């Protein structure tokens, strides 16, 4: 589903209103897409980032402006015997103005440097949204796994109770080969099943609590309401259907043409990498700014001195003065030279940050790809063999027991094995989707390929779909 800005806002508003009236509903269901949308729409960090960008942009304008001129007022050469302004010809009422000019082009360079720094904030917000999508997907899928595991256990609960009742009745009536330990074993399995059910409910509740952090409603225009935590929803369910998550850039990840250089080229479009490029450009401006320290700093001053008339009444001429000041950067070895060297070192260090992050990303992608490949292999094993075989074994052991040709303990073990296989298959499906969500974070800005190349990864074992070993095979 593709969303433009208008229907995305409408969707977010509808979701917020839906969650706000949660108390009036019996049960609220949140899909993965809704959870991601809510998390991205209600993240205070994004609003704070926009404010920081505005601050840097305003600071850029301010830094490109000349410093304020200085005005001085004074009375000069006032005689101390009479304190008369007209007694001495040197007595003056002086008004002066001085203006300093920054060194070289430092104003323009500093302004450009801050303008460059301001461009990193949209990239950081894109990176934050990509991280939110990945993190919320992990939590949502964990909640889905716990929720569906609970359903699988509850679906088999009545079967195990029936087996316990049959064992108890057979033992009481001395029918067949049922022994006392069979009755105890059946009851023990129910208790252990109850413990597994409680454990999964614990996982579900804790995951929902963690997921609820990202669904907290935030409105920058009504900040006080955002601090009303009691108005936020506390409990909800996730969808019953496992979503389809597609790889953003499967072509680059194919084993047949896999190349680390090609992968690094694709990762260079990631907002986190681009933000480092912005930081590098700003550091290069810092070198230019440091070199301006070799230029002299100039200043001009002008003053007007008023003189009173002589005691005889004759007028005195007023005085006007103008001057220029500047410093001489003569001793540069331990100051200007070191400042430039420090700026160059800072700029070179930024280049290593990009290399380190790129290496980390490549390593993380390769790790996830290998995990995805093995999960695909396990999906094939479960869907093509294990699920069917454990079911057939359970049916065969039950048939043998009902014909007095089997052991009750074997019936219980077979049923437990079938349940464990279905839970394991579900966990593998969820782990595969979580892996794809983590991989997609690294290709947040690499979605230029056509949708035809994006093969959906819908890993529900009920629909018997699994990852292609050929497409995601190792080198």
């Amino acid at each position: 589903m593709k969303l433009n800005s208008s229907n995305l806002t409408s969707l977010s508003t509808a979701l917020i209103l839906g969650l706000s009236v949660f108390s009036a509903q019996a049960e609220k269901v949140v899909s993965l897409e809704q959870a991601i949308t809510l998390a991205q729409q209600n993240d205070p960090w994004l609003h704070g980032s926009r404010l920081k960008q505005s601050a840097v942009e305003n600071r850029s304008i301010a830094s490109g402006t000349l410093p304020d001129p200085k005005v001085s007022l004074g009375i000069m050469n006032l005689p101390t015997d009479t304190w008369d302004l007209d007694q001495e010809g040197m007595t003056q009422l002086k008004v002066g103005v001085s203006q300093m000019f920054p060194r070289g082009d430092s104003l323009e360079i500093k302004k450009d440097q801050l303008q460059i720094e301001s461009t990193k904030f949209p990239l950081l917000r894109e990176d934050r949204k990509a991280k939110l999508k990945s993190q919320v997907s992990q939590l949502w899928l964990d909640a889905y796994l716990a929720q569906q595991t609970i359903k699988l256990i509850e679906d088999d609960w009545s079967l195990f109770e029936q087996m316990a009742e049959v064992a108890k009745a057979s033992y009481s009536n001395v029918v067949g080969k049922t022994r006392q330990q069979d009755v105890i074993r059946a009851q023990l399995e129910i208790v252990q099943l109850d413990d597994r059910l409680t454990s999964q409910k614990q996982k579900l509740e804790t995951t929902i609590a963690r997921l609820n952090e990202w669904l907290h409603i935030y409105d920058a225009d009504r900040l006080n309401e955002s601090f009303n935590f009691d108005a936020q929803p506390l409990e909800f369910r996730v969808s019953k259907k496992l979503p389809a998550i597609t790889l953003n850039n499967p072509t680059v990840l194919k084993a047949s043409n896999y190349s680390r250089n090609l992968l690094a080229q694709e990762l260079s479009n990631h907002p986190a990498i681009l933000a480092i490029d912005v930081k590098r450009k700003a550091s290069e401006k810092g070198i230019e700014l440091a070199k301006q320290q070799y230029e002299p700093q100039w200043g001009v001053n002008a003053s007007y001195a008023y003189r009173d008339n002589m005691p005889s009444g004759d007028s005195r001429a007023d005085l006007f003065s103008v001057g220029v000041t500047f410093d001489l950067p003569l001793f540069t070895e331990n100051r200007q030279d070191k400042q430039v060297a420090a700026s160059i070192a800072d700029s070179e260090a930024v280049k290593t940050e990009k290399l380190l992050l790129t290496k980390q990303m490549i390593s993380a992608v390769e790790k996830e790809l290998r995990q995805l490949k093995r999960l695909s292999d396990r999906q094939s094993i479960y869907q093509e063999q294990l699920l069917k075989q454990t079911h057939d074994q359970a049916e065969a052991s039950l048939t043998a027991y009902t014909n007095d040709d089997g052991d009750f303990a074997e019936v219980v073990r077979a049923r437990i094995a079938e349940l464990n296989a279905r839970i394991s298959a579900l966990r593998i499906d969820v782990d595969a989707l979580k892996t794809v969500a983590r991989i997609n974070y690294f290709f947040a800005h690499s979605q230029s390929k056509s949708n035809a190349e994006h093969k959906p990864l819908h890993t529900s074992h009920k629909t018997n779909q699994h990852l292609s070993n050929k497409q995601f095979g190792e080198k």
Side-chain angles (χ1 to χ4, degrees), residues 419-436:
L419 176 60
N420 289 340
R422 285 188 288 165
I423 293 176
S424 295
L426 175 65
R427 182 178 293 108
I428 292 171
D429 292 342
V430 171
D431 285 344
L433 286 181
K434 291 171 66 176
T435 303
V436 173

Side-chain angles (χ1 to χ4, degrees), residues 227-279:
F227 281 92
N228 184 10
F229 297 100
D230 288 335
Q232 307 300 332
L234 296 177
E235 301 292 340
F236 52 89
R237 285 195 309 104
V238 297
S239 305
K240 296 180 180 179
K241 184 179 179 181
L242 196 62
I245 303 179
T246 60
L247 279 171
N248 285 346
N249 205 330
T251 304
V252 179
L253 305 177
K254 284 183 178 180
S256 58
N257 62 344
Y258 177 79
S259 167
R260 280 188 169 183
N261 289 334
L262 182 59
L263 178 59
Q265 182 179 351
E266 291 294 329
L267 293 176
S268 65
N269 294 322
H270 192 278
I273 298 291
L274 295 177
I276 295 180
D277 288 337
V278 171
K279 186 177 179 181

Side-chain angles (χ1 to χ4, degrees), residues 167 171 175-184 401 407-409:
Y171 177 72
V175 177
K177 300 179 181 180
T178 304
R179 297 161 295 178
Q180 184 178 12
Q181 64 244 38
D182 295 334
V183 178
I184 298 175
Y401 176 74
D407 184 34
F408 182 79

Side-chain angles (χ1 to χ4, degrees), residues 132-335:
L132 279 178
K133 184 175 183 179
S134 177
Q135 186 169 357
V136 170
S137 297
Q138 306 297 308
L139 291 174
W140 192 96
L141 290 169
D142 283 339
Y144 174 88
L145 175 60
Q147 181 176 283
Q148 294 304 113
T149 302
I150 291 172
K151 184 179 184 302
L152 289 175
I153 294 175
E154 290 178 341
D155 289 345
D156 279 4
W157 188 276
S158 58
L159 176 61
F160 280 94
E161 286 185 332
Q162 291 175 8
M163 290 170 58
E165 290 296 330
V166 169
K168 185 177 179 181
S170 298
Y171 177 72
S172 300
N173 298 327
V174 195
V175 177
K177 300 179 181 180
T178 304
R179 297 161 295 178
Q180 184 178 12
Q181 64 244 38
D182 295 334
V183 178
I184 298 175
R185 173 67 184 273
Q187 294 173 345
L188 178 60
E189 291 298 339
I190 293 178
V191 174
Q192 291 178 338
L193 205 62
D194 189 23
D195 178 65
R196 293 182 68 179
L197 186 61
T198 303
S199 175
Q200 291 300 322
K201 288 181 178 179
Q202 175 189 353
K203 292 180 180 179
L204 177 60
E205 291 168 358
T206 54
T207 304
I208 291 295
R210 292 177 60 196
L211 186 59
N212 196 50
E213 172 191 352
W214 303 109
L215 307 186
H216 181 88
I217 299 171
Y218 173 76
D219 188 348
D221 297 327
R222 294 180 293 179
L223 191 58
N224 290 333
E225 294 185 11
S226 299
F227 281 92
N228 184 10
F229 297 100
D230 288 335
Q232 307 300 332
L234 296 177
E235 301 292 340
F236 52 89
R237 285 195 309 104
V238 297
S239 305
K240 296 180 180 179
K241 184 179 179 181
L242 196 62
I245 303 179
T246 60
L247 279 171
N248 285 346
N249 205 330
T251 304
V252 179
L253 305 177
K254 284 183 178 180
S256 58
N257 62 344
Y258 177 79
S259 167
R260 280 188 169 183
N261 289 334
L262 182 59
L263 178 59
Q265 182 179 351
E266 291 294 329
L267 293 176
S268 65
N269 294 322
H270 192 278
I273 298 291
L274 295 177
I276 295 180
D277 288 337
V278 171
K279 186 177 179 181
R280 178 185 55 80
K281 292 178 182 178
S283 67
E284 291 174 352
K285 285 292 181 180
I287 297 175
E288 295 182 32
L289 188 61
K291 290 180 178 179
Q292 299 304 307
Q293 298 300 313
Y294 292 107
E295 301 291 334
Q297 185 175 19
W298 292 83
V300 296
N301 59 80
S303 62
Y304 180 85
Y306 168 80
R307 296 196 299 173
D308 204 355
N309 294 334
M310 294 186 294
S312 63
D314 295 337
S315 63
R316 292 190 179 103
D318 297 337
L319 303 176
F320 175 76
S321 302
V322 63
V324 176
T325 61
F326 60 93
D327 60 6
L328 296 175
L330 297 179
F331 310 103
T332 62
E333 182 177 358
N334 292 327
R335 184 169 181 173

Side-chain angles (χ1 to χ4, degrees), residues 38-55 121-122 124-126 128-129 132 217-224 226-227:
L38 278 174
Q40 293 178 342
Q41 289 287 319
N42 295 284
D43 186 18
W45 190 96
L46 297 175
H47 180 65
S49 174
R50 284 186 282 268
L51 294 177
K52 290 179 181 178
Q53 180 181 355
S54 177
F121 290 98
L124 294 178
R125 289 196 292 273
E126 290 296 331
R128 172 74 172 187
K129 288 181 179 179
L132 279 178
I217 299 171
Y218 173 76
D219 188 348
D221 297 327
R222 294 180 293 179
L223 191 58
N224 290 333
S226 299
F227 281 92

Side-chain angles (χ1 to χ4, degrees), residues 273 275-284 287 340-358:
I273 298 291
I276 295 180
D277 288 337
V278 171
K279 186 177 179 181
R280 178 185 55 80
K281 292 178 182 178
S283 67
E284 291 174 352
I287 297 175
V340 172
S343 298
I344 292 175
D346 286 338
S347 180
E348 292 299 317
V350 174
K351 296 179 182 179
T352 64
E353 290 182 23
K354 180 176 181 179
L355 178 59
L356 286 173
L357 183 57
T358 303

